[in-house]
Amino acid sequence: MASSTSRPLYLVELHCALRDKDFERLGRAAEANALSMHATMLGAWPPVCYWQPETLAILRAIWTARADGLPLYATMDAGPNVKCLFLDNDQDAVLTRFPRLRVVDRGEGSAA
């Protein structure tokens, strides 16, 4: 197995967050990784941007919710779609802020 010095820092952060069952650390690392990927795409020549105005609006709403105390994080693939990361016990609060959100349940008995 590779040492932690040969792995990207975000993988070390994700591993530690999972090991420690630290959701906020996991959320920060996942969101930072997704935003970093999009920053790389924007910094390419020619720039690549899949975001739509709604993409940034949703990200800002997530950041506002988090500033208001809701542990909610975003992740994204290479497209414009935002995925929300939150704990089960915060689902009602998340759905109040994002009523059109489609929740994908990880299933009963799944590992956190």
mmCIF file of all heavy atoms in Angstrom, residues 37-48:
data_model
loop_
_atom_site.group_PDB
_atom_site.id
_atom_site.type_symbol
_atom_site.label_atom_id
_atom_site.label_comp_id
_atom_site.label_asym_id
_atom_site.label_seq_id
_atom_site.Cartn_x
_atom_site.Cartn_y
_atom_site.Cartn_z
ATOM 1 N N MET A 37 -11.638 20.285 -8.932
ATOM 2 C CA MET A 37 -11.715 19.723 -10.279
ATOM 3 C C MET A 37 -12.293 20.750 -11.244
ATOM 4 O O MET A 37 -11.773 20.959 -12.340
ATOM 5 C CB MET A 37 -12.577 18.471 -10.300
ATOM 6 C CG MET A 37 -12.749 17.895 -11.700
ATOM 7 S SD MET A 37 -13.987 16.596 -11.828
ATOM 8 C CE MET A 37 -15.484 17.474 -11.440
ATOM 9 N N HIS A 38 -13.361 21.434 -10.819
ATOM 10 C CA HIS A 38 -13.972 22.428 -11.696
ATOM 11 C C HIS A 38 -13.047 23.626 -11.901
ATOM 12 O O HIS A 38 -13.007 24.200 -12.994
ATOM 13 C CB HIS A 38 -15.342 22.845 -11.170
ATOM 14 C CG HIS A 38 -16.399 21.828 -11.481
ATOM 15 N ND1 HIS A 38 -17.079 21.808 -12.676
ATOM 16 C CD2 HIS A 38 -16.845 20.765 -10.777
ATOM 17 C CE1 HIS A 38 -17.916 20.791 -12.685
ATOM 18 N NE2 HIS A 38 -17.786 20.135 -11.541
ATOM 19 N N ALA A 39 -12.280 23.993 -10.889
ATOM 20 C CA ALA A 39 -11.307 25.073 -11.046
ATOM 21 C C ALA A 39 -10.241 24.691 -12.062
ATOM 22 O O ALA A 39 -9.815 25.520 -12.877
ATOM 23 C CB ALA A 39 -10.674 25.406 -9.693
ATOM 24 N N THR A 40 -9.812 23.447 -12.035
ATOM 25 C CA THR A 40 -8.834 22.962 -13.015
ATOM 26 C C THR A 40 -9.407 23.049 -14.423
ATOM 27 O O THR A 40 -8.729 23.467 -15.362
ATOM 28 C CB THR A 40 -8.415 21.517 -12.689
ATOM 29 O OG1 THR A 40 -7.819 21.506 -11.390
ATOM 30 C CG2 THR A 40 -7.445 20.966 -13.713
ATOM 31 N N MET A 41 -10.671 22.659 -14.572
ATOM 32 C CA MET A 41 -11.315 22.720 -15.880
ATOM 33 C C MET A 41 -11.421 24.169 -16.367
ATOM 34 O O MET A 41 -11.197 24.458 -17.548
ATOM 35 C CB MET A 41 -12.703 22.074 -15.811
ATOM 36 C CG MET A 41 -12.642 20.566 -15.601
ATOM 37 S SD MET A 41 -14.205 19.790 -15.098
ATOM 38 C CE MET A 41 -15.366 20.419 -16.259
ATOM 39 N N LEU A 42 -11.737 25.086 -15.454
ATOM 40 C CA LEU A 42 -11.832 26.497 -15.825
ATOM 41 C C LEU A 42 -10.467 27.078 -16.179
ATOM 42 O O LEU A 42 -10.368 27.985 -17.003
ATOM 43 C CB LEU A 42 -12.466 27.305 -14.687
ATOM 44 C CG LEU A 42 -13.955 27.095 -14.485
ATOM 45 C CD1 LEU A 42 -14.406 27.702 -13.164
ATOM 46 C CD2 LEU A 42 -14.735 27.698 -15.649
ATOM 47 N N GLY A 43 -9.412 26.547 -15.559
ATOM 48 C CA GLY A 43 -8.058 27.038 -15.810
ATOM 49 C C GLY A 43 -7.400 26.436 -17.035
ATOM 50 O O GLY A 43 -6.300 26.830 -17.408
ATOM 51 N N ALA A 44 -8.056 25.475 -17.664
ATOM 52 C CA ALA A 44 -7.505 24.844 -18.874
ATOM 53 C C ALA A 44 -7.627 25.813 -20.057
ATOM 54 O O ALA A 44 -8.353 26.797 -20.010
ATOM 55 C CB ALA A 44 -8.258 23.550 -19.165
ATOM 56 N N TRP A 45 -6.896 25.497 -21.110
ATOM 57 C CA TRP A 45 -7.054 26.282 -22.339
ATOM 58 C C TRP A 45 -7.387 25.357 -23.487
ATOM 59 O O TRP A 45 -6.578 24.464 -23.765
ATOM 60 C CB TRP A 45 -5.820 27.112 -22.660
ATOM 61 C CG TRP A 45 -6.194 28.111 -23.715
ATOM 62 C CD1 TRP A 45 -5.893 28.050 -25.038
ATOM 63 C CD2 TRP A 45 -6.985 29.269 -23.537
ATOM 64 N NE1 TRP A 45 -6.448 29.097 -25.699
ATOM 65 C CE2 TRP A 45 -7.141 29.880 -24.784
ATOM 66 C CE3 TRP A 45 -7.612 29.863 -22.438
ATOM 67 C CZ2 TRP A 45 -7.869 31.035 -24.978
ATOM 68 C CZ3 TRP A 45 -8.327 31.012 -22.634
ATOM 69 C CH2 TRP A 45 -8.445 31.596 -23.888
ATOM 70 N N PRO A 46 -8.501 25.503 -24.119
ATOM 71 C CA PRO A 46 -9.560 26.463 -23.778
ATOM 72 C C PRO A 46 -10.290 26.029 -22.513
ATOM 73 O O PRO A 46 -10.360 24.839 -22.205
ATOM 74 C CB PRO A 46 -10.487 26.411 -24.994
ATOM 75 C CG PRO A 46 -10.288 25.057 -25.573
ATOM 76 C CD PRO A 46 -8.858 24.676 -25.286
ATOM 77 N N PRO A 47 -10.841 27.002 -21.791
ATOM 78 C CA PRO A 47 -11.553 26.674 -20.552
ATOM 79 C C PRO A 47 -12.755 25.778 -20.814
ATOM 80 O O PRO A 47 -13.388 25.863 -21.868
ATOM 81 C CB PRO A 47 -12.013 28.032 -20.016
ATOM 82 C CG PRO A 47 -11.238 29.048 -20.770
ATOM 83 C CD PRO A 47 -10.830 28.432 -22.065
ATOM 84 N N VAL A 48 -13.050 24.936 -19.843
ATOM 85 C CA VAL A 48 -14.212 24.054 -19.916
ATOM 86 C C VAL A 48 -15.100 24.384 -18.717
ATOM 87 O O VAL A 48 -14.634 24.342 -17.578
ATOM 88 C CB VAL A 48 -13.797 22.569 -19.857
ATOM 89 C CG1 VAL A 48 -15.016 21.660 -19.884
ATOM 90 C CG2 VAL A 48 -12.837 22.234 -20.990
#
